[in-house]
PDB file of all heavy atoms in Angstrom:
ATOM      1  N   PRO A 116      53.834-251.571 144.950  1.00  0.00           N
ATOM      2  CA  PRO A 116      54.426-252.000 143.679  1.00  0.00           C
ATOM      3  C   PRO A 116      55.018-250.815 142.899  1.00  0.00           C
ATOM      4  O   PRO A 116      56.077-250.934 142.277  1.00  0.00           O
ATOM      5  CB  PRO A 116      53.262-252.639 142.933  1.00  0.00           C
ATOM      6  CG  PRO A 116      52.359-253.141 144.014  1.00  0.00           C
ATOM      7  CD  PRO A 116      52.459-252.074 145.074  1.00  0.00           C
ATOM      8  N   ALA A 117      54.329-249.682 142.936  1.00  0.00           N
ATOM      9  CA  ALA A 117      54.862-248.483 142.247  1.00  0.00           C
ATOM     10  C   ALA A 117      56.139-248.010 142.927  1.00  0.00           C
ATOM     11  O   ALA A 117      57.089-247.578 142.260  1.00  0.00           O
ATOM     12  CB  ALA A 117      53.812-247.375 142.245  1.00  0.00           C
ATOM     13  N   ALA A 118      56.142-248.043 144.262  1.00  0.00           N
ATOM     14  CA  ALA A 118      57.315-247.561 144.995  1.00  0.00           C
ATOM     15  C   ALA A 118      58.544-248.425 144.731  1.00  0.00           C
ATOM     16  O   ALA A 118      59.660-247.888 144.558  1.00  0.00           O
ATOM     17  CB  ALA A 118      57.010-247.524 146.495  1.00  0.00           C
ATOM     18  N   VAL A 119      58.362-249.741 144.661  1.00  0.00           N
ATOM     19  CA  VAL A 119      59.532-250.607 144.440  1.00  0.00           C
ATOM     20  C   VAL A 119      60.083-250.461 143.010  1.00  0.00           C
ATOM     21  O   VAL A 119      61.265-250.652 142.771  1.00  0.00           O
ATOM     22  CB  VAL A 119      59.284-252.086 144.777  1.00  0.00           C
ATOM     23  CG1 VAL A 119      58.965-252.251 146.246  1.00  0.00           C
ATOM     24  CG2 VAL A 119      58.204-252.696 143.921  1.00  0.00           C
ATOM     25  N   ARG A 120      59.197-250.122 142.069  1.00  0.00           N
ATOM     26  CA  ARG A 120      59.693-249.866 140.709  1.00  0.00           C
ATOM     27  C   ARG A 120      60.665-248.668 140.742  1.00  0.00           C
ATOM     28  O   ARG A 120      61.751-248.713 140.147  1.00  0.00           O
ATOM     29  CB  ARG A 120      58.542-249.535 139.750  1.00  0.00           C
ATOM     30  CG  ARG A 120      57.662-250.717 139.371  1.00  0.00           C
ATOM     31  CD  ARG A 120      56.746-250.349 138.226  1.00  0.00           C
ATOM     32  NE  ARG A 120      57.512-250.109 136.991  1.00  0.00           N
ATOM     33  CZ  ARG A 120      57.828-251.051 136.124  1.00  0.00           C
ATOM     34  NH1 ARG A 120      57.438-252.306 136.317  1.00  0.00           N
ATOM     35  NH2 ARG A 120      58.516-250.744 135.037  1.00  0.00           N
ATOM     36  N   LEU A 121      60.254-247.623 141.427  1.00  0.00           N
ATOM     37  CA  LEU A 121      61.143-246.457 141.542  1.00  0.00           C
ATOM     38  C   LEU A 121      62.380-246.808 142.351  1.00  0.00           C
ATOM     39  O   LEU A 121      63.488-246.324 142.023  1.00  0.00           O
ATOM     40  CB  LEU A 121      60.388-245.281 142.198  1.00  0.00           C
ATOM     41  CG  LEU A 121      59.242-244.672 141.381  1.00  0.00           C
ATOM     42  CD1 LEU A 121      58.540-243.591 142.181  1.00  0.00           C
ATOM     43  CD2 LEU A 121      59.753-244.112 140.065  1.00  0.00           C
ATOM     44  N   ALA A 122      62.220-247.593 143.411  1.00  0.00           N
ATOM     45  CA  ALA A 122      63.370-247.976 144.222  1.00  0.00           C
ATOM     46  C   ALA A 122      64.406-248.712 143.395  1.00  0.00           C
ATOM     47  O   ALA A 122      65.612-248.520 143.542  1.00  0.00           O
ATOM     48  CB  ALA A 122      62.908-248.838 145.406  1.00  0.00           C
ATOM     49  N   ALA A 123      63.928-249.589 142.475  1.00  0.00           N
ATOM     50  CA  ALA A 123      64.842-250.345 141.619  1.00  0.00           C
ATOM     51  C   ALA A 123      65.615-249.426 140.697  1.00  0.00           C
ATOM     52  O   ALA A 123      66.744-249.717 140.286  1.00  0.00           O
ATOM     53  CB  ALA A 123      64.061-251.376 140.801  1.00  0.00           C
ATOM     54  N   GLU A 124      64.993-248.298 140.341  1.00  0.00           N
ATOM     55  CA  GLU A 124      65.636-247.364 139.416  1.00  0.00           C
ATOM     56  C   GLU A 124      66.515-246.340 140.130  1.00  0.00           C
ATOM     57  O   GLU A 124      67.466-245.809 139.533  1.00  0.00           O
ATOM     58  CB  GLU A 124      64.557-246.622 138.619  1.00  0.00           C
ATOM     59  CG  GLU A 124      63.716-247.526 137.713  1.00  0.00           C
ATOM     60  CD  GLU A 124      62.469-246.848 137.170  1.00  0.00           C
ATOM     61  OE1 GLU A 124      62.209-245.696 137.589  1.00  0.00           O
ATOM     62  OE2 GLU A 124      61.759-247.467 136.357  1.00  0.00           O
ATOM     63  N   ARG A 125      66.224-246.068 141.396  1.00  0.00           N
ATOM     64  CA  ARG A 125      66.866-244.935 142.053  1.00  0.00           C
ATOM     65  C   ARG A 125      67.669-245.308 143.311  1.00  0.00           C
ATOM     66  O   ARG A 125      68.303-244.445 143.903  1.00  0.00           O
ATOM     67  CB  ARG A 125      65.778-243.915 142.465  1.00  0.00           C
ATOM     68  CG  ARG A 125      64.976-243.355 141.316  1.00  0.00           C
ATOM     69  CD  ARG A 125      63.836-242.471 141.807  1.00  0.00           C
ATOM     70  NE  ARG A 125      63.073-241.921 140.703  1.00  0.00           N
ATOM     71  CZ  ARG A 125      61.976-241.167 140.865  1.00  0.00           C
ATOM     72  NH1 ARG A 125      61.514-240.921 142.097  1.00  0.00           N
ATOM     73  NH2 ARG A 125      61.349-240.705 139.821  1.00  0.00           N
ATOM     74  N   ARG A 126      67.601-246.556 143.749  1.00  0.00           N
ATOM     75  CA  ARG A 126      68.237-246.906 145.028  1.00  0.00           C
ATOM     76  C   ARG A 126      69.704-246.585 145.025  1.00  0.00           C
ATOM     77  O   ARG A 126      70.390-246.643 143.996  1.00  0.00           O
ATOM     78  CB  ARG A 126      67.972-248.388 145.325  1.00  0.00           C
ATOM     79  CG  ARG A 126      68.996-249.414 144.922  1.00  0.00           C
ATOM     80  CD  ARG A 126      69.131-249.626 143.435  1.00  0.00           C
ATOM     81  NE  ARG A 126      70.062-250.699 143.120  1.00  0.00           N
ATOM     82  CZ  ARG A 126      71.380-250.585 143.060  1.00  0.00           C
ATOM     83  NH1 ARG A 126      71.948-249.442 143.332  1.00  0.00           N
ATOM     84  NH2 ARG A 126      72.144-251.617 142.747  1.00  0.00           N
ATOM     85  N   THR A 127      70.185-246.219 146.205  1.00  0.00           N
ATOM     86  CA  THR A 127      71.602-245.924 146.407  1.00  0.00           C
ATOM     87  C   THR A 127      72.221-247.057 147.243  1.00  0.00           C
ATOM     88  O   THR A 127      71.520-247.930 147.765  1.00  0.00           O
ATOM     89  CB  THR A 127      71.759-244.619 147.176  1.00  0.00           C
ATOM     90  OG1 THR A 127      71.197-244.763 148.502  1.00  0.00           O
ATOM     91  CG2 THR A 127      71.063-243.457 146.464  1.00  0.00           C
ATOM     92  N   ASP A 128      73.531-247.006 147.378  1.00  0.00           N
ATOM     93  CA  ASP A 128      74.201-247.996 148.221  1.00  0.00           C
ATOM     94  C   ASP A 128      73.724-247.897 149.654  1.00  0.00           C
ATOM     95  O   ASP A 128      73.577-248.913 150.355  1.00  0.00           O
ATOM     96  CB  ASP A 128      75.721-247.811 148.158  1.00  0.00           C
ATOM     97  CG  ASP A 128      76.310-248.230 146.817  1.00  0.00           C
ATOM     98  OD1 ASP A 128      75.611-248.955 146.063  1.00  0.00           O
ATOM     99  OD2 ASP A 128      77.456-247.851 146.524  1.00  0.00           O
ATOM    100  N   ALA A 129      73.441-246.675 150.089  1.00  0.00           N
ATOM    101  CA  ALA A 129      72.945-246.478 151.441  1.00  0.00           C
ATOM    102  C   ALA A 129      71.562-247.096 151.609  1.00  0.00           C
ATOM    103  O   ALA A 129      71.254-247.693 152.651  1.00  0.00           O
ATOM    104  CB  ALA A 129      72.886-244.978 151.797  1.00  0.00           C
ATOM    105  N   ASP A 130      70.713-246.959 150.616  1.00  0.00           N
ATOM    106  CA  ASP A 130      69.386-247.584 150.652  1.00  0.00           C
ATOM    107  C   ASP A 130      69.515-249.100 150.774  1.00  0.00           C
ATOM    108  O   ASP A 130      68.810-249.742 151.567  1.00  0.00           O
ATOM    109  CB  ASP A 130      68.607-247.267 149.380  1.00  0.00           C
ATOM    110  CG  ASP A 130      68.203-245.795 149.267  1.00  0.00           C
ATOM    111  OD1 ASP A 130      67.950-245.170 150.313  1.00  0.00           O
ATOM    112  OD2 ASP A 130      68.187-245.293 148.124  1.00  0.00           O
ATOM    113  N   LEU A 131      70.390-249.676 149.957  1.00  0.00           N
ATOM    114  CA  LEU A 131      70.577-251.128 149.998  1.00  0.00           C
ATOM    115  C   LEU A 131      71.092-251.584 151.354  1.00  0.00           C
ATOM    116  O   LEU A 131      70.671-252.624 151.863  1.00  0.00           O
ATOM    117  CB  LEU A 131      71.541-251.571 148.896  1.00  0.00           C
ATOM    118  CG  LEU A 131      71.055-251.406 147.454  1.00  0.00           C
ATOM    119  CD1 LEU A 131      72.153-251.784 146.469  1.00  0.00           C
ATOM    120  CD2 LEU A 131      69.793-252.233 147.206  1.00  0.00           C
ATOM    121  N   ALA A 132      71.974-250.800 151.952  1.00  0.00           N
ATOM    122  CA  ALA A 132      72.490-251.155 153.282  1.00  0.00           C
ATOM    123  C   ALA A 132      71.380-251.160 154.318  1.00  0.00           C
ATOM    124  O   ALA A 132      71.292-252.063 155.182  1.00  0.00           O
ATOM    125  CB  ALA A 132      73.598-250.193 153.696  1.00  0.00           C
ATOM    126  N   THR A 133      70.484-250.184 154.240  1.00  0.00           N
ATOM    127  CA  THR A 133      69.366-250.103 155.174  1.00  0.00           C
ATOM    128  C   THR A 133      68.434-251.285 154.963  1.00  0.00           C
ATOM    129  O   THR A 133      67.931-251.882 155.940  1.00  0.00           O
ATOM    130  CB  THR A 133      68.595-248.781 154.972  1.00  0.00           C
ATOM    131  OG1 THR A 133      69.476-247.677 155.180  1.00  0.00           O
ATOM    132  CG2 THR A 133      67.436-248.678 155.968  1.00  0.00           C
ATOM    133  N   LEU A 134      68.149-251.619 153.716  1.00  0.00           N
ATOM    134  CA  LEU A 134      67.299-252.755 153.414  1.00  0.00           C
ATOM    135  C   LEU A 134      67.943-254.071 153.886  1.00  0.00           C
ATOM    136  O   LEU A 134      67.275-254.953 154.428  1.00  0.00           O
ATOM    137  CB  LEU A 134      67.007-252.821 151.922  1.00  0.00           C
ATOM    138  CG  LEU A 134      65.986-251.764 151.423  1.00  0.00           C
ATOM    139  CD1 LEU A 134      66.094-251.581 149.917  1.00  0.00           C
ATOM    140  CD2 LEU A 134      64.568-252.181 151.828  1.00  0.00           C
ATOM    141  N   ASP A 135      69.243-254.198 153.669  1.00  0.00           N
ATOM    142  CA  ASP A 135      69.961-255.405 154.139  1.00  0.00           C
ATOM    143  C   ASP A 135      69.848-255.525 155.653  1.00  0.00           C
ATOM    144  O   ASP A 135      69.631-256.638 156.175  1.00  0.00           O
ATOM    145  CB  ASP A 135      71.446-255.320 153.743  1.00  0.00           C
ATOM    146  CG  ASP A 135      71.690-255.671 152.284  1.00  0.00           C
ATOM    147  OD1 ASP A 135      70.895-256.460 151.720  1.00  0.00           O
ATOM    148  OD2 ASP A 135      72.672-255.147 151.705  1.00  0.00           O
ATOM    149  N   ASP A 136      70.002-254.408 156.370  1.00  0.00           N
ATOM    150  CA  ASP A 136      69.895-254.436 157.830  1.00  0.00           C
ATOM    151  C   ASP A 136      68.491-254.864 158.282  1.00  0.00           C
ATOM    152  O   ASP A 136      68.336-255.652 159.216  1.00  0.00           O
ATOM    153  CB  ASP A 136      70.212-253.056 158.412  1.00  0.00           C
ATOM    154  CG  ASP A 136      71.691-252.713 158.329  1.00  0.00           C
ATOM    155  OD1 ASP A 136      72.506-253.633 158.073  1.00  0.00           O
ATOM    156  OD2 ASP A 136      72.024-251.518 158.490  1.00  0.00           O
ATOM    157  N   ALA A 137      67.485-254.343 157.585  1.00  0.00           N
ATOM    158  CA  ALA A 137      66.104-254.689 157.950  1.00  0.00           C
ATOM    159  C   ALA A 137      65.833-256.179 157.671  1.00  0.00           C
ATOM    160  O   ALA A 137      65.189-256.850 158.491  1.00  0.00           O
ATOM    161  CB  ALA A 137      65.123-253.818 157.153  1.00  0.00           C
ATOM    162  N   LEU A 138      66.344-256.692 156.555  1.00  0.00           N
ATOM    163  CA  LEU A 138      66.149-258.095 156.248  1.00  0.00           C
ATOM    164  C   LEU A 138      66.888-258.986 157.262  1.00  0.00           C
ATOM    165  O   LEU A 138      66.356-260.010 157.698  1.00  0.00           O
ATOM    166  CB  LEU A 138      66.613-258.402 154.833  1.00  0.00           C
ATOM    167  CG  LEU A 138      66.267-259.797 154.314  1.00  0.00           C
ATOM    168  CD1 LEU A 138      64.754-259.971 154.204  1.00  0.00           C
ATOM    169  CD2 LEU A 138      66.917-260.050 152.952  1.00  0.00           C
ATOM    170  N   ALA A 139      68.082-258.577 157.649  1.00  0.00           N
ATOM    171  CA  ALA A 139      68.806-259.318 158.664  1.00  0.00           C
ATOM    172  C   ALA A 139      68.052-259.352 159.970  1.00  0.00           C
ATOM    173  O   ALA A 139      68.027-260.372 160.688  1.00  0.00           O
ATOM    174  CB  ALA A 139      70.200-258.723 158.850  1.00  0.00           C
ATOM    175  N   ALA A 140      67.404-258.228 160.340  1.00  0.00           N
ATOM    176  CA  ALA A 140      66.613-258.188 161.562  1.00  0.00           C
ATOM    177  C   ALA A 140      65.412-259.133 161.446  1.00  0.00           C
ATOM    178  O   ALA A 140      65.035-259.782 162.431  1.00  0.00           O
ATOM    179  CB  ALA A 140      66.138-256.764 161.825  1.00  0.00           C
ATOM    180  N   MET A 141      64.832-259.245 160.260  1.00  0.00           N
ATOM    181  CA  MET A 141      63.728-260.186 160.056  1.00  0.00           C
ATOM    182  C   MET A 141      64.201-261.618 160.246  1.00  0.00           C
ATOM    183  O   MET A 141      63.485-262.434 160.828  1.00  0.00           O
ATOM    184  CB  MET A 141      63.147-260.003 158.664  1.00  0.00           C
ATOM    185  CG  MET A 141      62.382-258.705 158.441  1.00  0.00           C
ATOM    186  SD  MET A 141      61.675-258.601 156.768  1.00  0.00           S
ATOM    187  CE  MET A 141      60.365-259.791 156.909  1.00  0.00           C
ATOM    188  N   GLU A 142      65.368-261.914 159.777  1.00  0.00           N
ATOM    189  CA  GLU A 142      65.920-263.257 159.921  1.00  0.00           C
ATOM    190  C   GLU A 142      66.196-263.606 161.357  1.00  0.00           C
ATOM    191  O   GLU A 142      66.037-264.767 161.787  1.00  0.00           O
ATOM    192  CB  GLU A 142      67.199-263.391 159.083  1.00  0.00           C
ATOM    193  CG  GLU A 142      66.977-263.338 157.584  1.00  0.00           C
ATOM    194  CD  GLU A 142      68.262-263.402 156.790  1.00  0.00           C
ATOM    195  OE1 GLU A 142      69.222-262.684 157.157  1.00  0.00           O
ATOM    196  OE2 GLU A 142      68.328-264.167 155.828  1.00  0.00           O
TER     197      GLU A 142
END
Side-chain angles (χ1 to χ4, degrees):
V119 296
R120 289 191 66 89
L121 292 177
E124 296 167 356
R125 300 174 179 176
R126 93 291 184 278
T127 65
D128 288 344
D130 292 326
L131 293 176
T133 302
L134 286 162
D135 282 332
D136 288 345
L138 189 64
M141 290 182 72
E142 292 177 314

